Amino acid sequence: MGWAIALHGGAGDIPVDLPTDKRAPREATLRRCLDLGVAALKAGRSPLDVVELVARELENCPYFNAGRGSVLTTNGTVEMEASIMDGTSKGCGCVSGLTTVVNPISLARVVMEKTPHIYLAFDGAEAFAREQGLETRDQSYFITEQNIERLKQAKEANRVQIDYTQPQPIKEQAIPRSEGDSQIGTVGCVAVDRNGNLASATSTGGLVNKMVGRIGDTPVIGSGTYANTICAVSATGKGESIIRNTIARDVAALMEYKGLSLKDAANQVIANAPKGTVGLVAVTDKGDVAMPFNTTGMFRACAVEDGHSEIAIW
Amino acid sequence: MAKWAIAIHGGAGVDPNLPEQRQEEAKRLLSRCLQIGVDTLKARQSAVDVVELVVRELESDPMFNSGRGSALTAKGTVEMEASIMDGRQRRCGAVSGLTTVKNPVSLARLVMDRSPHSYLAFAGAEEFAREQGVETVDNSYFITEENIGMLKLAKEANTILFDYRIPLPGADTCSASVGSLVPDTSLQMNGLPISIYSPETVGCVVVDSTGNCAAATSTGGLMNKKSGRIGDSPLIGSGTYACDLCAISCTGEGEAIIRSTLARDVAAVMEYKGLNLQEAVDFVVKERLDEGQAGLIAVSRNGEVACKFNSNGMFRGCATEDGYMEVGIWE
């Protein structure tokens, strides 16, 4: 039994002909984050510390949909959310509606460790961040050109949909391919140390062109994030799908209640969700790793103590 | 034709010294809401319609902690949340941070039926409410005199608890107002003495005459909570869950309910371990709550109903098609 780590930068419709200038920086970030996570595990840091520091690194990278580089709401603003869970204590921390906090995952951790609550959102969360002295920046720090473009395309796609289809409630948003980048997405990390302690962290900007105030699966314990003494899971994809399928909890529940292996549990959960909507990374207390997805691709990386490591997209 | 069944709750964790008169009032309210649910079920309404209707009724009455009569935030305002789930296809809707919407559960339903999302909160949710034309009122509508008083006591209790890190001593404490109302200081929930703690949440679960299940939960949250705090009630899988097998609504210590994904776990042990409803409910409350205090109500597609809690009491009521009907508070 040794340590293991898996991380993701989002599952989605990532075309196999993704141009090098889009692919290279993302792969480089995945590699950098994997190295950081592995070094921390080797140095004996707790899994909670490890998943937080990896998630922070992914949040700081402008190419993934979390922290800097978050996709935009329909108003052109950023509303970030995150959650973290400690498998040993089952303690959890969640945040939503952040607009200036540089590292949402760290605020989630502070909520877990310094308040009697689990989940803080919007103005209350922002005020708490200031009380606690977390780093904050102006909205413009988080907004990238690519995301301004993505929003524009999403709005155009929706307008076309409304013009030419029967008037009816918009249930499924058309998600246009902006130069083939993953439109859905989120970042996350799961880790287990040599003693079998587990932790999970997930962070995101949410869905492109989302309604202001929309909360996805990422801050919902049991949907986007879950960890107990058996496994740790971080999910990515279409939030509404992940919530109704309680993806993260179900992987653990299948293992716990039905005795499935991580591989079988993770595959079953992914197979039961609508195609093209979900992906996840998971590790067990025994150091097993799984990274299944039913989308075209998922930016991901993993490493285990016996030396095997992997960085992949499709 | 399947058999219908319904269960409702008005919160887990009840002051053992709750005056008799208040207990009777609570039971009357529970009976009235239960009857409304039973009548609509007999009229063959769908499960999701019934749970919404019943929870609206519970929200509108100031007795329980939801809608009017909600617990107050540290700022003295009301921030309400709710969720609803339709077991058919597991569609769901949730809302948090509502300050003017008269019936949070109905907005949650609109999120489910009329938006591309599952969960809307705070300013965005309020804006959606206006777009949809739901009834809104001033925040003061939801605030009751009693809860203003409770907030004050909760602040004192929290100060004392956090300052001295000991449970409140008996009647001879320094603070007269606290001392005068704390006979049983050993009972606490969510860090507050039970006499101040406001049993959180109302909920309803139903299986209709076609065998479909639905669940809904609504709350004002924790007394003296930080503004922006979200509890278990709007979180699918924690406070609320429904699938083709069953429907569950939970109440109690939000943290414990979230950590144990209580509502989802009832359905998961039925699905993955093959337990029946009562076995699943017993298992989850016994094995999954650790030191947390909570309660839940559940129905199965077979017309069964189950309630269980490890807290001191839970306001509840249940009815099934074969004539069983009961409301209760204690074990």
Side-chain angles (χ1 to χ4, degrees), chain B residues 2-5 207 211 213 245 270 299-304:
Chain B
K3 286 177 145 200
W4 57 256
V207 53
C213 300
L245 279 181
M270 288 182 74
V299 290
S300 75
R301 69 172 167 208
N302 301 325
E304 300 158 307

Side-chain angles (χ1 to χ4, degrees), chain B:
Chain B
M1 188 81 106
K3 286 177 145 200
W4 57 256
I6 176 172
I8 65 174
H9 72 74
V14 186
D15 186 354
N17 298 294
L18 190 68
E20 197 62 44
Q21 192 207 0
R22 292 291 306 273
Q23 295 186 40
E24 290 309 312
E25 271 174 44
K27 294 210 292 211
R28 272 199 298 277
L29 174 59
L30 289 166
S31 295
R32 186 166 66 73
C33 295
L34 194 61
Q35 191 60 55
I36 289 171
V38 166
D39 292 343
T40 39
L41 277 165
K42 285 178 172 167
R44 304 272 177 256
Q45 295 257 44
S46 72
V48 71
D49 284 344
V50 176
V51 298
E52 184 191 352
L53 188 64
V54 171
V55 170
R56 281 178 67 96
E57 204 60 38
L58 289 161
E59 282 171 343
S60 302
D61 194 293
M63 170 155 317
F64 294 132
N65 175 8
S66 70
R68 190 151 167 256
S70 278
L72 306 180
T73 68
K75 298 194 302 197
T77 56
V78 157
E79 281 175 12
M80 301 167 290
E81 46 196 19
S83 61
I84 188 166
M85 191 162 186
D86 184 344
R88 292 173 297 191
Q89 300 171 349
R90 285 169 290 135
R91 295 165 59 242
C92 43
V95 288
S96 280
L98 301 185
T99 51
T100 69
V101 175
K102 198 149 180 249
N103 287 103
V105 70
S106 293
L107 190 66
R109 176 119 193 230
L110 288 170
V111 170
M112 175 171 81
D113 289 344
R114 302 248 184 96
S115 85
H117 302 319
S118 295
Y119 191 2
L120 288 181
F122 291 89
E126 287 276 322
E127 188 179 321
F128 179 66
R130 272 150 193 71
E131 272 171 41
Q132 294 293 316
V134 303
E135 195 179 355
T136 56
V137 292
D138 190 74
N139 201 251
S140 56
Y141 163 85
F142 304 101
I143 300 174
T144 60
E145 278 303 314
E146 188 181 336
N147 280 327
I148 293 174
M150 282 301 201
L151 178 64
K152 193 155 166 293
L153 293 173
K155 283 181 181 292
E156 282 166 18
N158 276 340
T159 314
I160 293 170
L161 282 172
F162 294 153
D163 281 349
Y164 299 102
R165 301 203 182 277
I166 47 169
L168 287 174
D172 52 356
T173 48
C174 44
S175 163
S177 57
V178 172
S180 66
L181 64 64
V182 188
D184 193 335
T185 57
S186 54
L187 270 184
Q188 284 184 20
M189 259 183 92
N190 265 316
L192 288 172
I194 196 121
S195 48
I196 299 172
Y197 172 76
S198 180
E200 289 184 60
T201 316
V202 298
C204 180
V205 292
V206 158
V207 53
D208 63 25
S209 50
T210 65
N212 290 319
C213 300
T217 314
S218 178
T219 189
L222 193 58
M223 187 68 76
N224 199 26
K225 64 182 179 179
K226 271 174 142 29
S227 174
R229 178 259 188 189
I230 290 176
D232 64 287
S233 300
L235 302 187
I236 297 298
S238 290
T240 301
Y241 189 75
C243 58
D244 56 1
L245 279 181
C246 59
I248 305 99
S249 170
C250 305
T251 165
E253 295 186 317
E255 213 230 359
I257 295 169
I258 293 172
R259 287 155 56 141
S260 56
T261 53
L262 208 63
R264 172 61 185 130
D265 265 45
V266 171
V269 297
M270 288 182 74
E271 250 178 282
Y272 302 147
K273 269 172 87 121
L275 299 192
N276 67 33
L277 185 74
Q278 190 64 57
E279 289 167 339
V281 163
D282 289 344
F283 174 84
V284 163
V285 170
K286 184 157 176 278
E287 304 293 337
R288 286 282 163 268
L289 281 171
D290 298 330
E291 289 122 33
Q293 294 183 72
L296 61 90
I297 53 174
V299 290
S300 75
R301 69 172 167 208
N302 301 325
E304 300 158 307
V305 74
C307 304
K308 196 161 179 80
F309 50 94
N310 68 358
S311 52
N312 193 63
M314 177 169 79
F315 293 109
R316 66 205 183 276
C318 314
T320 60
E321 188 162 353
D322 41 22
Y324 167 71
M325 190 156 173
E326 188 180 15
V327 300
I329 302 178
W330 314 114
E331 191 66 54

Side-chain angles (χ1 to χ4, degrees), chain A:
Chain A
M1 234 158 62
W3 53 257
I5 179 173
L7 56 106
H8 68 78
D13 191 15
I14 312 166
V16 291
D17 54 356
L18 186 68
T20 315
D21 64 326
K22 305 239 169 300
R23 184 179 166 160
R26 288 170 172 84
E27 278 175 336
T29 301
L30 291 173
R31 184 170 307 280
R32 191 173 72 250
C33 291
L34 189 66
D35 290 346
L36 274 168
V38 166
L41 280 165
K42 283 179 171 165
R45 299 281 301 270
S46 74
L48 203 60
D49 283 349
V50 173
V51 301
E52 185 193 355
L53 73 88
V54 170
R56 283 175 66 97
E57 198 62 33
L58 289 161
E59 283 169 342
N60 294 342
C61 170
Y63 300 112
F64 292 120
N65 176 13
R68 193 158 162 245
S70 282
V71 298
L72 306 179
T73 70
T74 196
N75 283 2
T77 55
V78 153
E79 279 178 10
M80 302 170 286
E81 47 197 18
S83 64
I84 191 165
M85 189 162 185
D86 178 345
T88 312
S89 66
K90 304 258 286 283
C92 13
C94 321
V95 288
S96 282
L98 301 184
T99 51
T100 69
V101 177
V102 172
N103 289 106
I105 197 66
S106 294
L107 186 63
R109 184 158 182 191
V110 174
V111 170
M112 175 172 84
E113 292 176 341
K114 301 243 179 92
T115 74
H117 302 325
I118 282 193
Y119 193 171
L120 284 182
F122 292 87
D123 291 351
E126 285 274 321
F128 181 63
R130 275 158 187 70
E131 262 173 57
Q132 293 292 317
L134 265 72
E135 195 185 349
T136 57
R137 297 282 294 268
D138 182 76
Q139 273 263 302
S140 55
Y141 163 83
F142 303 94
I143 299 175
T144 61
E145 280 303 317
Q146 287 162 324
N147 279 314
I148 293 174
E149 182 57 33
R150 280 200 186 102
L151 180 62
K152 190 156 158 279
Q153 294 193 5
K155 283 180 182 281
E156 276 165 9
N158 276 344
R159 188 156 15 114
V160 169
Q161 196 178 31
I162 292 166
D163 284 348
Y164 295 103
T165 57
Q166 290 300 322
Q168 60 185 279
I170 305 170
K171 287 311 292 178
E172 290 295 321
Q173 279 187 320
I175 300 182
R177 292 166 51 148
S178 162
E179 299 156 341
D181 286 338
S182 166
Q183 295 300 315
I184 323 174
T186 297
V187 301
C189 181
V190 292
V192 60
D193 65 16
R194 291 187 181 103
N195 299 319
N197 294 309
L198 292 143
S200 172
T202 317
S203 178
T204 191
L207 199 57
V208 176
N209 199 23
K210 65 182 178 178
M211 289 172 72
V212 169
R214 177 261 191 186
I215 293 177
D217 64 290
T218 294
V220 181
I221 296 295
S223 291
T225 299
Y226 187 76
N228 60 11
T229 51
I230 297 174
C231 68
V233 184
S234 170
T236 165
K238 183 103 195 296
E240 286 70 15
S241 216
I242 295 170
I243 289 174
R244 81 216 282 179
N245 289 296
T246 51
I247 297 280
R249 175 61 185 124
D250 265 42
V251 173
L254 280 166
M255 292 185 70
E256 211 173 323
Y257 299 138
K258 227 171 168 183
L260 298 193
S261 67
L262 176 69
K263 182 152 169 276
D264 289 345
N267 285 341
Q268 183 172 321
V269 165
I270 294 294
N272 286 341
K275 191 138 173 49
T277 63
V278 304
L280 64 90
V281 297
V283 292
T284 67
D285 62 328
K286 310 224 170 353
D288 302 316
V289 175
M291 301 193 291
F293 49 95
N294 68 11
T295 49
T296 313
M298 179 171 77
F299 293 104
R300 63 198 184 281
C302 69
V304 299
E305 189 162 7
D306 70 10
H308 170 78
S309 82
E310 183 186 340
I311 295 179
I313 302 178
W314 301 280

